[in-house]
Amino acid sequence: MGRYFKLLRFVRLLLAQESLLPPNFKTQAPWTIRALRFVITLGAPTFDNQKSRERGEALSRRLQALGPTYIKLGQSLATRPDVIGIELSRDLQYLQDQLPPFDDKHVDALLLDQLGFPSDELFDEFGPAIAAASIAQVHRAKLKDGRDVAVKLLRPHIEKQLAAELKTFFFLARLAEKLIPAARRIKPVAAVQTLSDSVQLELDLRLEAAALSEMGENVQNDPHFTVPKVVWEGTGKRMLTMSWMDGLKLSDIESLEEAGHSLPDLAEKLLQAFLTHAIRDGFFHGDMHQGNL
């Protein structure tokens, strides 16, 4: 039952935020819908009166406490301001790479398990986590040959957590299709299956390494687009090592302008790159949220 209470908490938490609702919800929505929302969200925390950063951090902490699948859902919603509104979309961006990292004691054990030898035989330096999301976190490190690299590590026990939460989603999706005929049009079971398939791919970092390598070969002669090179001797199922690349998030407009970038020019290059990958190669980045760009 605990899994179903988590899902209810997720729904309550989002519905309690005024920024999720249409502007005319309180005046034009049917009274039955307004009453249902009132009952569902009774006692749920709302962060609408806080400043943008405080609101985003508070909402992210609540979703983080629910588990990795809910964080993934929050990340997905963050890419859809057309659905949930600009304010809530901006708040949920904190889930993309600003979550708390896992304990360092797990890092050493994970490195030894994945490499099969002490990590100091490969790395000259290995720093703390610089970014953390729902499934993995990233560390900056330096190889023995002096190259700067980024090392992505899966969170401990993430597979069991995701399996339990996805099982709940499948149960509710099947229940919705069985009891609510109108829900069959949006295919909730198929939607959960898509989420599950996507998550399973993310749980084997060797697949990500192979994708990086393939895209790198595809774009090696393309201007304006570079892919990090995989360090295969530092890569395993739960660990991915790649060349370090400095950059600015595309969502950090102020920093982009201070660095002298033309936003229209960046937008044009991004669109051209994506269409080239999709049409010419049939192989493209499928998770182009702000944290990844």
Side-chain angles (χ1 to χ4, degrees), residues 41 48 50 89 132 232 242:
T41 61
D48 291 303
Q50 295 180 325
S89 173
W232 289 103
M242 67 196 101

Side-chain angles (χ1 to χ4, degrees), residues 221-269:
N221 297 318
D222 292 357
H224 316 308
F225 199 92
T226 305
V227 175
K229 291 181 172 59
V230 177
V231 179
W232 289 103
E233 60 269 32
T235 296
K237 183 176 181 179
R238 304 178 61 83
M239 173 184 181
L240 168 59
T241 304
M242 67 196 101
S243 55
W244 178 267
M245 302 183 77
D246 290 306
L248 298 169
K249 291 185 188 178
L250 281 192
S251 57
D252 190 353
I253 303 299
E254 184 176 333
S255 295
L256 290 172
E257 291 177 335
E258 288 179 357
H261 293 293
S262 164
L263 299 186
D265 183 53
L266 282 177
E268 181 178 337
K269 288 176 179 175

Side-chain angles (χ1 to χ4, degrees), residues 7-291:
L7 185 59
L8 178 59
R9 285 167 57 194
F10 176 77
V11 173
R12 289 178 71 240
L13 182 62
L14 292 187
L15 287 180
Q17 313 311 311
E18 298 285 344
S19 51
L20 177 63
L21 304 176
N24 56 0
F25 177 83
K26 291 185 176 180
T27 57
Q28 297 188 20
W31 72 267
T32 50
I33 299 297
R34 284 180 281 142
L36 181 61
R37 174 184 177 263
F38 175 79
V39 172
I40 292 176
T41 61
L42 192 64
T46 178
F47 311 110
D48 291 303
N49 294 326
Q50 295 180 325
K51 295 179 181 179
S52 178
R53 181 178 181 83
E54 294 174 350
R55 186 174 63 237
E57 291 176 344
L59 187 57
S60 296
R61 283 196 300 270
R62 291 280 181 169
L63 292 178
Q64 177 205 347
L66 292 176
T69 309
Y70 297 93
I71 296 174
K72 294 294 291 183
L73 287 175
Q75 291 172 333
S76 298
L77 289 173
T79 67
R80 296 300 306 273
D82 56 318
V83 174
I84 65 173
I86 294 175
E87 285 189 31
L88 186 57
S89 173
R90 189 181 298 118
D91 295 342
L92 291 174
Q93 288 177 17
Y94 285 86
L95 294 170
Q96 291 167 347
D97 58 3
Q98 299 181 44
L99 297 175
F102 56 82
D103 197 299
D104 284 345
K105 67 180 181 181
H106 297 296
V107 172
D108 294 335
L110 181 55
L111 290 174
L112 180 59
D113 174 71
Q114 292 298 291
L115 293 172
F117 52 81
S119 60
D120 58 9
E121 293 183 16
L122 178 65
F123 300 110
D124 196 39
E125 299 175 11
F126 196 93
I130 58 169
S134 57
I135 289 178
Q137 64 187 38
V138 176
H139 298 252
R140 184 168 187 169
K142 185 184 291 290
L143 298 178
K144 287 292 187 180
D145 61 12
R147 284 181 292 165
D148 288 322
V149 293
V151 183
K152 183 175 181 179
L153 301 175
L154 289 186
R155 289 183 176 274
H157 315 301
I158 190 67
E159 294 90 346
K160 291 182 179 180
Q161 288 180 272
L162 289 169
E165 292 167 7
L166 285 168
K167 184 177 180 180
T168 303
F169 288 3
F170 272 117
F171 171 78
L172 294 175
R174 294 188 185 100
L175 193 64
E177 287 195 0
K178 182 177 181 180
L179 301 180
I180 309 173
R184 297 169 193 163
R185 181 177 61 85
I186 59 175
K187 300 179 180 179
V189 173
V192 176
Q193 185 63 57
T194 298
L195 174 64
S196 176
D197 293 342
S198 173
V199 165
Q200 293 306 315
L201 290 174
E202 292 185 58
L203 292 177
D204 189 341
L205 295 181
R206 294 170 299 186
L207 298 177
E208 183 173 340
L212 269 174
S213 182
E214 181 173 347
M215 180 171 275
E217 293 179 5
N218 291 342
V219 306
Q220 59 184 330
N221 297 318
D222 292 357
H224 316 308
F225 199 92
T226 305
V227 175
K229 291 181 172 59
V230 177
V231 179
W232 289 103
E233 60 269 32
T235 296
K237 183 176 181 179
R238 304 178 61 83
M239 173 184 181
L240 168 59
T241 304
M242 67 196 101
S243 55
W244 178 267
M245 302 183 77
D246 290 306
L248 298 169
K249 291 185 188 178
L250 281 192
S251 57
D252 190 353
I253 303 299
E254 184 176 333
S255 295
L256 290 172
E257 291 177 335
E258 288 179 357
H261 293 293
S262 164
L263 299 186
D265 183 53
L266 282 177
E268 181 178 337
K269 288 176 179 175
L270 175 61
L271 183 58
Q272 287 177 344
F274 174 76
L275 291 176
T276 298
H277 303 162
I279 297 172
R280 182 194 67 188
D281 306 328
F283 194 84
F284 54 90
H285 199 299
D287 191 19
M288 297 175 69
H289 63 65
Q290 299 91 330

